[in-house]
Amino acid sequence: MAMLTAFRTTTLPRFSSSIFASRLVSTLVVAEHEGGSIKGSSVSAVEAAKALGDGNSISVLLAGSGPSLQEAAAHAASCHPSISQVLVADSDKFTHSLAEPWAGLVHIVQQKGGYSHIIAAANSFGKNILPRAAALLDVSPITDVINIFGSSQFVRPIYAGNALCTVRYTGSSPCMLTIRSTSFPVPAVSANSRSNEAPISQVDLSTFGEDSVGKSRYVQHTSQDTERPDLGSARVVVTGGRGLKSAENFKMMEKLAEKLGAAVGATRAAVDAGFVPNDLQVGQTGKIVAPELYMAFGVSGAIQHIAGMRDSRVIVAVNKDSDAPIFQVADYGLVGDLFEVIPELLEKLPEKK
């Protein structure tokens, strides 16, 4: 961290040969949508694009088919005042977010638009598409960006979040980034602004060949039918670890989440043990979360798990091992048996209205 601070306070030389000095900054945000709305992680990518420079022209790319795509486009046009235009690719090839057709789409949009930057959220959607698109464009992407200083300098965590690396991009255009959405929260004034709606344009797909479809195919989509908030954007998250011992005991976490209006998370150990599906995994190889309240029960605090939740505003940990590493990052810690603590919490908490 000391190295990062010293680097940031040093006056940097001007590179007249830089690709960014020769033209205005323009950004393409590769956006994800569901149920007729652009996802919050993609709106955070728009927020991140603002930091690339003044006068940045931000275009949002949406793809899919049917009425939900048009609804998502209308939502994207008014979800953030910094959006200059919304590009819509309407084709059955994009009904499912497969990497090959999406990467081909990004390629042809970049060839036509000549953007200086391409940004996506560092979630399963962005991590699936952006590396393949970067390969087609012959550039090296910068992943998991948590801070942006101008058009070519970025900060990303390394060593499971225990160190921060400052990266200056000097490659050819476009500079491609994935950003951690939790590091770029959208201000309420931006999220609720509806005064200026961006124009919506259709992407010309006449040059989109069958070779862009690739060899992968969509099989099926499974999801849990629940009214709980999404894990990646929930204000409160309750997480269980291997200390819960079984899938049956994990139901206590679900009851607690219902009372708190929270999302349920899990450690990799709990997922590997088969207690819960892997879409609930929090950590370096799972979802990165930063809720207002993070409650960990039976979580030891492995470095990979802490990397995915250390930015939470308030961390509460319950573990019977007083030496568990989770207590080193917790704001409040209770050394106790979770099988006694959780039932007591359930008894004293009022029912969620």
Side-chain angles (χ1 to χ4, degrees):
M1 182 64 75
M3 291 179 61
L4 174 64
T5 303
F7 188 81
R8 286 174 57 189
T9 55
T10 301
T11 302
L12 300 176
R14 301 178 68 89
F15 292 88
S16 59
S17 61
S18 171
I19 61 170
F20 305 109
S22 61
R23 62 179 180 177
L24 293 175
V25 176
S26 59
T27 304
L28 178 68
V29 174
V30 182
E32 183 180 13
H33 65 93
E34 184 178 38
S37 297
I38 184 173
K39 286 197 170 182
S41 56
S42 295
V43 182
S44 292
V46 175
E47 186 68 20
K50 287 171 52 181
L52 292 170
D54 296 332
N56 184 7
S57 175
I58 302 174
S59 300
V60 173
L61 175 62
L62 293 172
S65 62
S68 64
L69 174 62
Q70 305 308 321
E71 292 172 8
H75 176 241
S78 60
C79 72
H80 199 292
S82 296
I83 296 175
S84 302
Q85 67 171 335
V86 177
L87 303 176
V88 177
D90 193 343
S91 171
D92 291 339
K93 297 183 179 71
F94 309 116
T95 301
H96 311 293
S97 300
L98 297 179
E100 290 94 340
W102 259 97
L105 174 63
V106 172
H107 186 220
I108 63 172
V109 171
Q110 170 60 22
Q111 285 182 320
K112 182 177 180 180
Y115 298 95
S116 63
H117 295 76
I118 299 178
I119 297 181
N123 53 16
S124 58
F125 174 80
K127 290 177 180 178
N128 190 32
I129 294 168
L130 214 72
R132 185 177 290 271
L136 292 176
L137 294 166
D138 197 25
V139 298
S140 298
I142 302 172
T143 59
D144 279 334
V145 171
I146 63 170
N147 213 339
I148 296 175
F149 299 100
S151 61
S152 60
Q153 190 169 309
F154 314 99
V155 178
R156 62 184 301 271
I158 57 176
Y159 305 131
N162 285 289
L164 298 178
C165 175
T166 298
V167 180
R168 178 184 286 116
Y169 185 77
T170 59
S172 59
S173 180
C175 174
M176 302 185 73
L177 312 169
T178 62
I179 59 97
R180 287 194 178 182
S181 56
T182 54
S183 299
F184 298 93
V186 181
V189 63
S190 296
N192 296 326
S193 176
R194 299 290 184 272
S195 56
N196 297 316
E197 290 194 4
I200 300 174
S201 305
Q202 297 293 321
V203 176
D204 181 8
L205 298 175
S206 60
T207 58
F208 190 83
E210 289 298 326
D211 56 339
S212 299
V213 176
K215 297 180 179 180
S216 65
R217 63 186 178 88
Y218 174 81
V219 178
Q220 67 176 352
H221 174 74
T222 58
S223 61
Q224 291 187 324
D225 186 15
T226 175
E227 295 182 358
R228 288 193 295 269
D230 178 69
L231 178 58
S233 58
R235 294 175 61 253
V236 181
V237 174
V238 293
T239 294
R242 186 163 44 191
L244 281 159
K245 299 181 179 179
S246 71
E248 185 67 25
N249 290 334
F250 232 93
K251 292 180 180 179
M252 291 193 301
M253 303 298 297
E254 296 173 357
K255 292 179 181 178
L256 182 60
E258 289 174 4
K259 286 206 168 188
L260 294 173
V264 175
T267 63
R268 178 170 181 174
V271 170
D272 289 347
F275 299 168
V276 289
N278 60 8
D279 60 336
L280 298 186
Q281 182 178 326
V282 173
Q284 187 178 18
T285 54
K287 293 185 177 179
I288 308 297
V289 300
E292 295 180 15
L293 174 62
Y294 187 88
M295 304 180 72
F297 297 89
V299 175
S300 62
I303 187 173
Q304 292 85 0
H305 180 75
I306 290 176
M309 44 68 73
R310 68 189 315 155
D311 291 330
S312 303
R313 183 172 298 180
V314 177
I315 300 173
V316 177
V318 177
N319 199 300
K320 64 181 180 181
D321 181 6
S322 60
D323 295 323
I326 190 69
F327 289 125
Q328 297 176 15
V329 297
D331 297 287
Y332 301 94
L334 174 62
V335 179
D337 187 343
L338 64 88
F339 294 105
E340 297 176 1
V341 174
I342 296 179
E344 189 173 349
L345 270 175
L346 290 172
E347 182 182 344
K348 293 186 177 181
L349 283 172
E351 293 293 337
K352 183 176 179 294
K353 296 181 180 180

